[in-house]
Amino acid sequence: MVFAPGEKPGNEPEEVKLQNASKQIVQNAIRQAVRQVSRESRQREGRARDNPGSFQPGVGELTKKHEKK
């Protein structure tokens, strides 16, 4: 293996440690994001069930085109 100037042959384990730490950080961030989205989704569903009067007419509904007379 060829090493760049200033690079030592013993640095590979350190690089592997850094890569593993980076992977762990990314995995933790993804898990946290998934938990947050799940929590927010459950909260929205709970509010929708508790407050059926929050329905907004016309939102998400198909409407008829103006009919010609």
Side-chain angles (χ1 to χ4, degrees), residues 2 6 12 14 18-19 22-23 25-27 31 35 38 42-44 47 52-53 55-59 63-64 66:
V2 178
E12 286 184 35
E14 190 65 28
L18 290 173
Q19 287 175 347
S22 294
K23 288 178 186 178
I25 290 169
V26 170
Q27 288 174 347
R31 283 189 201 109
R35 280 194 302 266
S38 296
R42 285 192 305 270
Q43 288 173 348
R44 275 195 301 278
R47 284 195 299 266
F55 175 74
Q56 297 176 351
V59 174
T63 58
K64 291 184 179 179
H66 293 294

Side-chain angles (χ1 to χ4, degrees), residues 6-67:
E7 188 177 357
K8 297 178 184 175
N11 285 348
E12 286 184 35
E14 190 65 28
E15 186 174 332
V16 170
K17 288 180 187 178
L18 290 173
Q19 287 175 347
N20 289 338
S22 294
K23 288 178 186 178
Q24 190 66 41
I25 290 169
V26 170
Q27 288 174 347
N28 289 342
I30 291 170
R31 283 189 201 109
Q32 183 178 359
V34 168
R35 280 194 302 266
Q36 181 176 347
V37 168
S38 296
R39 187 179 326 115
E40 290 173 358
S41 179
R42 285 192 305 270
Q43 288 173 348
R44 275 195 301 278
E45 289 172 3
R47 284 195 299 266
R49 251 184 279 115
D50 293 343
N51 191 6
S54 66
F55 175 74
Q56 297 176 351
V59 174
E61 292 181 352
L62 296 176
T63 58
K64 291 184 179 179
K65 300 264 182 183
H66 293 294
E67 296 178 13

